[in-house]
Amino acid sequence: MKIAIGNDHVGYELKCEIVKYLKENNYEVTDVGHYDSNRTDYPLYAKMVSDLVVKGEVDRGILICGTGVGISIAANKVKGIRAVCCSEPYSAKLSKEHNNTNVLAFGARVIGVELAKMITDSWLNAEYEGGRHGKRIDMIKDIENSQFK
Ligand code: RB5
């Protein structure tokens, strides 16, 4: 599985840990930056990761900022992105199974490294269930299509 990952300055250190963990677990990782802890702006990385996901160049995206909130909001502005901001594994798993999320976000100021790994595992190992959830995803797409030209 190919994963794109991006972060702002606050998410940089946690991003390094997650990239290492993903590679150890044989995921192919595209790291779009930010590559240090100097101040930057999270929408840049949300856009880069989201574009790779919607173009199909990667299977899924992971985003990290201070809370995971700003970067997930920005990702959700990209047509075709369903990003979840998670601080625990249960919602991460269900967000894939029910909502077919294609981007996972979390906050480096909110969770520690081991919980971030657990959330990542839970999300990456989950599969979209389809069925009754498909209708709701289609309804989300209808909203999207009515907003974006
Ligand atoms: C940066 O200070 C901070 O606002 C950012 O990392 C993130 O938490 C935004 O949601």
Side-chain angles (χ1 to χ4, degrees), residues 8 17 20 32 62 65 77 82 93 113 117 126-129 131 133 138 144 146:
D8 71 357
E17 296 288 343
K20 187 165 158 259
V32 305
I62 297 178
C65 66
K77 298 298 178 192
R82 288 175 302 281
K93 179 173 184 281
V113 177
K117 289 179 187 172
E127 283 179 23
Y128 175 51
E129 288 176 357
H133 306 297
D138 287 343
E144 204 173 46
S146 71

Side-chain angles (χ1 to χ4, degrees), residues 36-50:
D36 58 44
S37 298
N38 294 319
R39 194 175 299 275
T40 183
D41 302 306
Y42 58 79
L44 297 170
Y45 310 94
K47 176 77 164 64
M48 284 192 270
V49 165
S50 297

Side-chain angles (χ1 to χ4, degrees), residues 8-11 39-40 42 64-73 107-109:
D8 71 357
H9 50 296
V10 185
R39 194 175 299 275
T40 183
Y42 58 79
I64 310 171
C65 66
T67 56
V69 174
I71 209 160
S72 59
I73 291 173
R109 287 178 172 148

Side-chain angles (χ1 to χ4, degrees), residues 56-115:
E57 290 178 27
V58 296
D59 300 295
R60 300 197 199 182
I62 297 178
L63 294 168
I64 310 171
C65 66
T67 56
V69 174
I71 209 160
S72 59
I73 291 173
N76 276 316
K77 298 298 178 192
V78 176
K79 188 173 182 179
I81 292 298
R82 288 175 302 281
V84 61
C85 178
C86 262
S87 302
E88 39 74 31
Y90 179 77
S91 301
K93 179 173 184 281
L94 269 286
S95 82
K96 187 64 202 178
E97 292 177 353
H98 291 195
N99 317 115
N100 200 13
T101 47
N102 46 16
V103 169
L104 168 69
F106 42 76
R109 287 178 172 148
V110 180
I111 58 171
V113 177
E114 295 310 316
L115 182 54

